[in-house]
């Protein structure tokens, strides 16, 4: 094998910091200055080195990219969604990076059957109301933050990011004339929300720590200088989001973190309205509120965790909640109303969507998330003194798969139908329309409640029966809340010709933070690995939300190490059960999953042949100790506050990847990131890589790849995304010796 080139020589400029009597010297902190020509030169040198070291992987990258592109229907479309007087859908065009947003007028108000759209063929009356490719052509990076259209279907609000730092510019466009209005708002966080009449748009602005903290309203037709500040959240641990209520009468404002929230409502029909506080953060209740109209009276449905770790749903009124807002009673339990859906230990109530016909409930049981249906009559019964209902007893659409996700998509409030997205690991996404109770059979051609398949995402030149999905449960020594041993769910994906014979190359993927579940989803790029005989395993480790709230809480703060040990246990179990060759295992994770990669690299480097960390959070202690850095204060609810708590500081120091690099034989490691990432700063992997090289006792390469025009999600555009995925997969497949098709 050819000798590797010499990696960039990263100079050392010692910087010390002291917390809780502990002094740390950091030689690479100078890399934080991304405006420094010297830093930029170093980052480019890292890219050059990475290109040289991985040059032999280029044919494999090209092969995987070609396979992804070949299997993807490039000129494609979505199923039209009816909103008011139009059917809205998107088209993707071969050779173009971004979607094109289209619509066509509704011919018959009573018809809820979406028009049949064909790739490359325009419908009668079809118009393109936003061509993302045309907008993206003006910039090296382009990402939409959201589109919103008023009730008259004539005004479009959209937000665009042209650098990758997720600070958007809000713009307005007249859809009847195609004119983009002169007015705009800079530095908007996320998407704007149009008030239904189109006279006002609400938006959030982030502070210096990239925390959305200020709510403004912009009057259409005026300068942004005249925008009115409606709310400022000064608590540095609260993140604020906004959305319209289901009936579009109120703006729902939720400020919170992973442990508690604060809620407000604002009447969007009143230009002078101010936000009304409903449940303050002082009660430390994790909750959401949903306004609902019942027989002409306004109520609130509250999804909350007060004395209900897996959440329950209660019915109350705004007046009842506001009447309890006494500072003296802040620590006392709130009366959140009458129980509608009772708490269950085996079922996690994730949330609800209200329609005029019924309520769509999202719940999770034994890792599987699905939609269940709650009738308005049941809610009325509770209002009138009736008993609550277990979420597990609610009906819902039935599917034959054992492991799947069924998610309710946003639907028109008054529509007689709702739409769900069904996905599994090996079934491309399917869209179903389901009519509400009481709807006429002619609405969908089926009985109310019976799913009607509208579309399955096409995949070219592949027989999906060639692949299998298997669920394993890896035992641990820990005990769960019921006193039985904790078992880690593992999803094993493989080609049908692959068996558990102990000889398989394997890729183990993990995340395990923020209560984010790794739910089943179909991915074309993954097929390229399975075709090469690789077993793709997803370790559903603690810190995620797959098994309810306790699964999350058992992998955060002073229990965070459970996330890392679970991943290693899952890896060992794949070997024990014959699914993985112990000498040919790779690992993959991104963001907080990149922290996981850095931790297992230090804790068990001998178990992996290669590790790839995407936008990795590998220097968490440095970041969270500085509340001025983006998102740092918000992270205290996930990891603990090492600034004020010496125990948290010591605990984080003992697992922080950057702090625990040691003299050991590390596997091949690749860190990939983007210069303009505001969630996990590029400097973390930029520092981690030279420190790894400094202590590397083996010959495996350690490389750093940085996208100079991207953000947290990498470069913009689907082809660039495919290239990045091909790069990642080729790196791992190369090092575990699985570069050729095995079938």
């Amino acid at each position: 094998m050819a000798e590797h080139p010499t990696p960039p020589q990263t100079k050392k400029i010692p910087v010390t910091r002291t917390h809780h009597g502990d002094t740390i010297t950091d030689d690479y902190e100078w890399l934080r200055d991304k405006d420094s020509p010297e830093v930029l030169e170093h980052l480019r040198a890292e890219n050059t080195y990475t290109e040289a070291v991985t040059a032999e992987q280029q044919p494999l990258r090209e092969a995987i990219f070609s396979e992804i592109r070949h299997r993807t229907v490039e000129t494609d479309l979505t199923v039209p969604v009816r909103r008011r007087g139009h059917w809205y859908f998107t088209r993707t065009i071969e050779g173009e990076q971004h979607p094109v947003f289209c619509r066509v007028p509704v011919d018959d108000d009573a018809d809820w059957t979406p028009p049949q759209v064909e790739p490359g063929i325009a419908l009668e009356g079809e118009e393109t109301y936003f061509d993302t490719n045309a907008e993206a052509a003006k910039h090296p990076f382009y990402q939409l933050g959201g589109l919103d259209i008023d009730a008259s279907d004539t005004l479009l609000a959209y937000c665009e990011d042209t650098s990758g730092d997720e600070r958007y510019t809000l713009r307005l466009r007249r859809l009847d004339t195609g004119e983009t209005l002169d007015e705009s708002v800079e530095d908007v966080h996320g998407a704007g929300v149009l008030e239904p009449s189109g006279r006002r748009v609400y938006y959030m602005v982030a502070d210096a720590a990239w925390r959305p903290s200020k709510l403004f309203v912009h009057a259409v037709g005026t300068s942004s200088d005249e925008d009115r500040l409606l709310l400022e959240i000064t608590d540095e641990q609260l993140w604020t989001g906004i959305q319209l209520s289901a009936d579009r009468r109120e703006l729902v404002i939720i400020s919170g973190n992973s442990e508690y929230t604060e809620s407000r409502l604002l009447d969007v029909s009143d230009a002078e309205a101010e936000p009304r506080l409903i449940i303050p953060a002082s009660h430390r209740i994790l909750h959401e509120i949903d306004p609902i109209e019942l027989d002409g009276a306004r109520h609130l449905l509250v999804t909350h965790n007060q004395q209900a770790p897996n959440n329950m749903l209660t019915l109350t009124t705004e007046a009842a909640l506001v009447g309890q807002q006494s500072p003296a009673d802040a620590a006392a339990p709130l009366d959140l109303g009458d129980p509608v859906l009772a708490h269950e230990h085996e079922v996690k109530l994730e949330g609800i969507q209200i329609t005029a016909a019924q309520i769509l409930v999202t719940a999770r049981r034994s890792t599987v998330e699905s939609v269940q249906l709650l009738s308005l009559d049941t809610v009325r019964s509770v209002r009138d003194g009736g008993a609550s209902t277990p979420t597990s007893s609610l009906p819902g659409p039935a599917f034959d798969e054992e492991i799947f996700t069924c998610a309710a998509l946003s639907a028109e409030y008054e529509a007689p139908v709702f739409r769900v997205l069904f996905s599994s690991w090996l079934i491309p996404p399917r869209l179903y329309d389901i009519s509400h109770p009481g709807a006429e059979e002619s609405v969908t051609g089926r009985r109310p409640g019976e799913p009607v398949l509208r579309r399955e995402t096409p995949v070219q030149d592949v027989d999906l029966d060639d692949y299998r999905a298997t669920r394993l449960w890896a035992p641990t020594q820990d005990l769960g809340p019921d006193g039985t041993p904790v078992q880690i769910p593992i999803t094993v994906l493989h080609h049908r010709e692959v068996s558990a014979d102990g000889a398989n190359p394997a890729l183990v993927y993990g995340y395990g933070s923020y209560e984010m579940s790794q739910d089943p989803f179909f991915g074309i790029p993954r097929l390229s690995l399975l075709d090469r005989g690789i077993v793709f395993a997803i370790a559903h480790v603690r810190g995620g939300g797959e098994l309810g709230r306790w699964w999350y809480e058992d992998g955060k703060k002073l229990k965070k190490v459970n996330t890392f040990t679970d991943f290693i246990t899952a890896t060992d179990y794949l070997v024990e059960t014959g699914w993985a060759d112990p000498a040919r295992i790779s690992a993959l994770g991104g963001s907080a999953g990149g922290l996981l990669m850095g931790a297992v690299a230090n804790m068990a480097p001998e178990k992996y042949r290669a590790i790839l960390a995407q936008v990795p959070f590998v220097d968490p202690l440095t970041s969270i100790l500085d509340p001025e850095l983006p998102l740092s204060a918000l992270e205290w609810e996930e990891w603990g506050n090492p600034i004020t708590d010496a125990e948290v500081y010591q605990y984080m120091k003992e697992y922080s990847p950057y702090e625990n690099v040691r003299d050991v034989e590390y596997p091949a490691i690749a860190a990939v990131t983007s210069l303009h990432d505001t969630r996990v700063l590029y400097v973390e992997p930029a520092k981690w890589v030279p420190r790894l090289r400094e202590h590397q006792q083996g010959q495996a390469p350690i490389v750093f790849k940085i996208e100079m025009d991207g953000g947290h999600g990498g470069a913009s555009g689907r082809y660039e995304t495919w290239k990045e995925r091909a790069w990642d997969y080729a790196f791992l497949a190369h090092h575990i010796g699985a570069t050729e098709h095995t079938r």
Side-chain angles (χ1 to χ4, degrees), residues 345-359:
H345 292 289
E346 302 300 324
V347 179
K348 173 70 184 299
L349 175 59
E350 302 280 16
I352 65 172
Q353 289 189 43
I354 295 174
T355 75
Q358 64 181 334
I359 298 167

Side-chain angles (χ1 to χ4, degrees), residues 141-301:
F141 178 94
Y142 192 85
Q143 184 71 50
L144 275 176
L147 301 172
D148 200 11
I149 299 174
D150 71 350
S152 68
D153 288 346
T154 58
L155 184 66
L156 168 71
Y158 64 98
C159 290
E160 55 183 13
D161 171 17
T162 58
S163 68
D165 63 2
E166 298 184 60
R167 296 184 184 273
Y168 294 86
T169 299
L170 169 65
R171 302 190 189 279
L172 299 165
R173 180 174 296 179
R174 297 284 308 184
L175 297 183
D176 48 354
T177 65
E179 172 195 8
T180 299
L181 306 186
D182 289 338
E183 62 202 83
S184 63
V185 183
E186 302 293 334
D187 289 331
V188 171
H189 188 282
V193 176
L194 265 176
E195 177 266 327
S197 74
R199 293 190 292 263
R200 292 175 294 281
V201 59
Y202 301 90
Y203 62 91
M204 296 298 303
V205 171
D207 60 15
W210 200 76
R211 179 183 65 93
S213 58
K214 293 182 179 180
L215 171 64
F216 286 88
V217 60
H218 172 78
V220 176
T222 68
S223 167
S224 61
D225 294 338
E226 302 174 43
D227 291 356
R228 183 161 67 96
L229 175 64
L230 294 172
L231 176 69
E232 181 175 6
I233 302 297
T234 57
D235 186 337
E236 60 188 358
Q237 296 184 68
L238 299 183
W239 175 291
T240 302
I242 58 175
Q243 65 178 23
L244 288 177
S245 60
D247 56 11
R248 299 174 66 84
R249 288 172 50 182
E250 294 176 284
L251 189 71
V252 181
I253 308 162
I254 301 292
S255 304
N257 52 49
S258 65
E259 298 194 338
Y260 60 91
T261 46
E262 181 168 84
S263 53
R264 292 175 172 82
L265 293 173
L266 183 143
D267 181 357
V268 297
S269 67
D270 182 357
E272 302 302 319
E274 299 288 341
R276 312 184 306 274
L277 180 64
I278 307 300
I279 300 177
S282 57
H283 287 279
R284 294 300 192 265
I285 300 171
L286 192 62
H287 72 278
E288 295 180 357
I289 57 172
D290 289 275
I292 183 172
E293 194 85 6
L294 286 175
D295 305 323
R298 201 72 167 167
H299 291 74
L300 290 176
L301 282 169

